[in-house]
């Protein structure tokens, strides 16, 4: 055990498990948690043993119950602007060059929901509760809870969620596409690890380029996106792993991907 609010375990199967552990505050994101999570993501980016990451919250009650509201209470608008000018944990997750899966249980509110939105795939167990609750405290989502949310579930659902500030349960989150997997209570981490393992067997080059290409689809017109996709395909084609994958298929054997 460690009292660090962010822990990382690197498993033999190439999956890194990141645990947020600030249970007395339902894993709310304060300055320290955000910084340590960014440090973890940076270290995992550089670590060739790691092919896929899974992010989850410790304890029975929450993935993350939001940004730490007590930090908001202590800041002026100008101080909050200075915070926003610094690198942000949500962007660090989105820019992480490997797939990252959020395994969500319990409260997933405000900045917690935005953290899950910044991941690539979301798994929820039956206890998961999502909301963009900022409107309840006279604010609005400020880290993707209008932008990434609208791109994931469409503007109508995003508006409904952010304008009411109401919690939606796991079943509804799954129905509207806010999460990609819904599992029974307590199964979220196992399911995320299973999905991660199904990704981790492939070339890290392919994993990285697919993430880059799909993210670009959110930002570019179709014609520009297709151009980029073609270039990224050619990058994969020219990689050692691309050559190895094609060769292994013709030789009827399993490919041995090295990440180059
Ligand atoms: N920021 C700071 N502290 C938070 C927090 C947050 N976002 N969410 C929970 N906590 C703290 C509580 O203040 C409490 O601390 P305390 O024991 O020192 O008083 C502790 O976590 C446990 O929370 P508590 O409210 O007692 O649990 P609960 O089960 O009664 O209620 C929630 C759970 C999630 C409904 C409630 O904590 C809540 O509404 N939190 C704020 C959620 C939110 O609006 N998030 C978005 C912020 S933009």
């Amino acid at each position: 055990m460690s009292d660090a609010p962010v822990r990382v375990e690197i498993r033999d199967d190439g999956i890194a498990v990141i645990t947020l552990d600030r249970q007395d505050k339902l894993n709310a994101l304060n300055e320290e948690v955000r910084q340590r999570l960014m440090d973890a993501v940076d270290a995992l980016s550089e670590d060739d043993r790691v092919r896929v990451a899974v992010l989850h919250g410790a304890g029975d009650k929450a993935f993350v119950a939001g940004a730490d509201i007590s930090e908001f209470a202590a800041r002026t608008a100008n101080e909050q602007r200075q915070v926003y000018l610094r690198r942000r944990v949500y962007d660090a997750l989105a820019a992480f060059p490997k797939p990252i899966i959020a395994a969500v249980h319990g409260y997933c509110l405000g900045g917690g929901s935005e953290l899950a939105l910044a991941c690539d795939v979301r798994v929820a167990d039956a206890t998961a509760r999502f909301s963009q609750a900022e409107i309840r405290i006279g604010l609005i989502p400020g880290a993707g809870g209008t932008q990434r949310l609208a791109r994931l579930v469409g503007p109508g659902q995003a508006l409904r969620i952010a304008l009411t500030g109401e919690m939606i349960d796991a079943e509804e989150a799954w129905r509207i596409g806010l999460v990609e997997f819904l599992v029974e209570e307590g199964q979220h981490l196992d399911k995320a690890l299973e999905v991660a393992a199904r990704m981790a067997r492939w070339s890290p080059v392919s994993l990285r380029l697919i993430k880059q290409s799909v993210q670009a689809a959110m930002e570019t017109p179709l014609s520009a996106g297709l151009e980029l996709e073609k270039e990224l395909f050619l990058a994969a084609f020219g990689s050692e792993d691309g050559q190895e994958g094609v060769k292994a298929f013709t030789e009827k054997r399993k490919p041995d991907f090295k990440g180059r």
Side-chain angles (χ1 to χ4, degrees):
M1 278 297 282
S2 144
D3 57 5
V6 177
R7 295 192 301 276
V8 177
E9 179 205 355
I10 297 173
R11 297 161 28 121
D12 291 341
D13 57 3
I15 300 168
V17 179
I18 309 173
T19 304
L20 303 179
D21 190 351
R22 192 179 173 231
Q23 293 180 49
D24 59 331
K25 300 291 180 189
L26 304 184
N27 302 328
L29 298 172
N30 65 0
E31 193 73 29
E32 186 187 8
V33 173
R34 286 197 296 270
Q35 187 55 55
R36 285 186 186 240
L37 182 51
M38 282 191 282
D39 292 345
V41 162
D42 288 345
L44 295 176
S45 297
E46 300 297 320
D47 191 328
D48 290 341
R49 293 172 299 169
V50 175
R51 296 194 171 195
V52 181
V54 170
L55 175 66
H56 75 124
D60 298 336
K61 289 185 73 173
F63 172 70
V64 169
D68 190 313
I69 298 172
S70 62
E71 285 186 346
F72 286 160
R75 286 183 196 134
T76 64
N78 201 38
E79 285 165 348
Q80 186 63 33
R81 178 175 293 279
Q82 297 310 312
V83 172
Y84 271 19
L85 288 174
R86 298 205 295 264
R87 184 180 180 222
R88 302 183 74 194
V89 68
Y90 314 92
D91 299 331
L93 288 182
F96 181 54
K98 308 174 186 189
I100 180 160
I101 301 173
V104 178
H105 75 296
Y107 294 118
C108 183
L109 313 177
S113 175
E114 290 170 316
L115 209 59
L117 287 167
C119 293
D120 302 311
V121 172
R122 286 143 292 275
V123 176
D125 86 348
T127 71
R129 298 285 178 274
F130 294 82
S131 87
Q132 291 306 147
E134 293 83 354
I135 200 162
R136 291 172 177 263
I137 54 172
L139 301 175
I140 75 163
T146 63
Q147 299 302 304
R148 290 193 179 99
L149 183 62
R151 284 163 173 77
L152 191 62
V153 301
Q157 292 290 3
L159 281 163
R160 192 263 298 195
I161 291 168
L163 290 173
T164 64
E166 287 166 6
M167 281 195 211
I168 63 172
D169 65 22
E171 180 76 35
E172 189 177 0
W174 182 75
R175 189 174 58 73
I176 67 173
L178 178 51
V179 301
E180 288 72 32
F181 294 93
L182 172 61
V183 292
E184 287 174 16
E185 178 173 353
Q187 297 299 306
H188 53 296
L189 187 53
D190 283 351
K191 183 68 179 181
L193 290 169
E194 178 204 314
V195 176
R198 285 195 261 134
M199 298 174 181
R201 61 193 159 152
W202 307 129
S203 163
V205 178
S206 304
L207 296 175
R208 174 170 51 80
L209 295 177
I210 288 170
K211 177 166 175 171
Q212 186 184 339
S213 196
V214 175
Q215 283 186 342
M218 300 295 113
E219 307 212 20
T220 49
L222 181 61
S223 53
L226 289 170
E227 268 311 304
L228 176 71
E229 186 183 72
K230 203 167 64 184
E231 286 306 318
L232 297 179
F233 173 88
L234 291 172
F237 195 89
S239 69
E240 282 181 34
D241 281 354
Q243 302 292 307
E244 164 63 8
V246 173
K247 193 156 173 273
F249 180 82
T250 57
E251 293 172 0
K252 299 190 185 307
R253 61 175 173 80
K254 276 183 79 171
D256 179 17
F257 293 128
K258 305 273 195 223
R260 296 191 290 269

